[in-house]
Amino acid sequence: MTSRTAEHPRPSHFLLHISDTHLLGGGRTLYDRVASERHLRQLFDEFEASGGRPDAIVFTGDLADKGEADAYARLRRIVDPAAERLGADVIWVMGNHDDRSEFRRGLLGQPAGGTRPVDRVDDVHGLRVITLDTTVPGHHHGEVTGDQLDWLAEELATDAPYGTILAMHHPPVPSVLDLAASVELRDQYALAEVIAGSDIRSILAGHLHYSSSATFADIPVSVASATCYTQDLNVPVGGTRGRDGARAFNLVHVYPSTVLHSVVPLGAFPALDYIDAEESARRLGVAGVSFLPAGGDALPELTGAADGLERRFAQGPFTEPILLP
């Protein structure tokens, strides 16, 4: 049997990315039909059953549909116990439906009041997560002020050990739905000038109510779908049609050389088969495949490679490339 090491080690960090919960106070349903609170509970029930244990849970905005204090309280009653069971930090991001004052009081434990942007920095075991508030009070489009850009540039002046994840509500990417242009992030070029060439490894966002991915300033962007209702991308071209279904959340795995974003749909579907962890390990053992632990800095040997071939797989985001013969 020929043994080999998998191409990538175990991930150094694991984030659960959730967006657009749109909870209402009093347990009311959204549009009198969408049970947003029940859908969020379902998400945690399904995720916890998987046995996954993220380092942090990142909520990218529109947490309360009308910014009500009771909606944030209800959100905390669902999320706090789940996060404690999972052993995960919780990172909250402002959305255009959120209220800055109630957001601060209900989610951050700060005094209510004030309209300044809610920008924060969290250290998740050496992975820096920067929360950028792209909201404009009283409006649904997004903007980032000059003061915010100055603050962001100052934060990014120093690299983090495992790099940075930028979390924001309005994604700096196009949308396949024309109407979304009316509520998009404006003046994106100014943000691009600040983050280009920085240690930002991925941008997490929401707002669109469907999963999407692109690049911005050469940085991967991952947009998580909503947990309340989603947009139907099979709508006739030029139109927009929301639907009470197709909800999803994202998994984010951080590796030395890449960041992996995976979309997980909510709901149960007919299973074809099931291979448990023990059987998976047995089959890998038979195949001679093993994994380096998180932080592993070696790669499988290349056979038959030309002399002097340089393979630019980095040990981490800021290390010299590994040179293989």
Side-chain angles (χ1 to χ4, degrees):
M1 179 182 67
T2 301
S3 298
R4 71 177 186 88
T5 305
E7 295 289 318
H8 297 273
R10 298 296 187 186
S12 61
H13 297 80
F14 171 29
L15 308 177
L16 177 60
H17 178 196
I18 300 172
S19 200
D20 293 85
T21 55
H22 286 267
L23 265 61
L24 286 163
R28 307 192 314 278
T29 54
L30 193 62
Y31 305 124
D32 296 323
R33 71 188 77 170
V34 178
S36 53
E37 190 170 329
R38 175 167 55 84
H39 295 322
L40 184 59
R41 292 185 184 278
Q42 177 190 0
L43 184 156
F44 280 106
D45 288 343
E46 293 184 10
F47 177 77
E48 288 188 64
S50 76
R53 292 296 180 264
D55 298 291
I57 307 170
V58 182
F59 285 85
T60 49
D62 278 2
L63 308 175
D65 187 65
K66 298 184 182 301
E68 301 163 292
D70 185 56
Y72 292 120
R74 288 173 173 274
L75 181 64
R76 292 288 298 269
R77 287 199 290 271
I78 297 173
V79 175
D80 286 358
E84 184 175 359
R85 291 190 297 270
L86 293 169
D89 297 331
V90 181
I91 298 174
W92 308 104
V93 181
M94 273 284 300
N96 50 283
H97 279 262
D98 291 305
D99 177 85
R100 284 177 176 171
S101 178
E102 292 299 339
F103 181 100
R104 281 192 170 91
R105 188 188 67 81
L107 300 182
L108 303 182
Q110 299 176 356
T115 59
R116 68 189 186 284
V118 184
D119 300 323
R120 295 170 56 85
V121 179
D122 288 274
D123 185 319
V124 182
H125 310 302
L127 178 70
R128 178 170 56 191
V129 180
I130 295 181
T131 298
L132 188 64
D133 184 349
T134 57
T135 66
V136 183
H139 301 273
H140 290 296
H141 70 274
E143 293 180 5
V144 182
T145 68
D147 287 343
Q148 287 179 282
L149 291 174
D150 290 342
W151 170 82
L152 180 60
E154 185 176 348
E155 293 294 334
L156 294 173
T158 303
D159 290 341
Y162 287 90
T164 296
I165 301 294
L166 180 61
M168 54 199 293
H169 182 63
H170 297 83
V173 300
S175 172
V176 297
L177 301 176
D178 287 351
L179 194 56
S182 65
V183 293
E184 66 185 349
L185 179 67
R186 299 181 183 178
D187 300 325
Q188 296 180 16
Y189 69 90
L191 176 62
E193 289 181 348
V194 171
I195 68 175
S198 70
D199 77 337
I200 295 176
R201 305 188 59 196
S202 176
I203 299 173
L204 306 183
H207 189 52
L208 298 180
H209 287 238
Y210 63 86
S211 302
S212 194
S213 61
T215 58
F216 177 72
D218 293 328
I219 300 169
V221 179
S222 177
V223 182
S225 187
T227 67
C228 57
Y229 72 91
T230 67
Q231 292 294 338
D232 183 358
L233 300 189
N234 276 328
V235 68
V237 174
T240 300
R241 179 172 59 208
R243 57 186 174 179
D244 185 7
R247 286 165 278 270
F249 60 94
N250 284 13
L251 309 180
V252 182
H253 291 86
V254 179
Y255 293 85
S257 59
T258 192
V259 178
L260 180 67
H261 307 92
S262 305
V263 179
V264 183
L266 280 177
F269 306 93
L272 299 179
D273 60 4
Y274 174 63
I275 302 171
D276 64 18
E278 184 177 352
E279 175 62 12
S280 294
R282 188 194 69 80
R283 294 189 185 189
L284 287 170
V286 170
V289 178
S290 61
F291 291 87
L292 287 172
D297 57 2
L299 291 167
E301 288 188 1
L302 293 180
T303 59
D307 290 344
L309 176 65
E310 183 178 77
R311 292 292 301 273
R312 294 190 176 276
F313 287 101
Q315 298 175 11
F318 316 112
T319 57
E320 293 298 317
I322 298 173
L323 302 180
L324 298 179

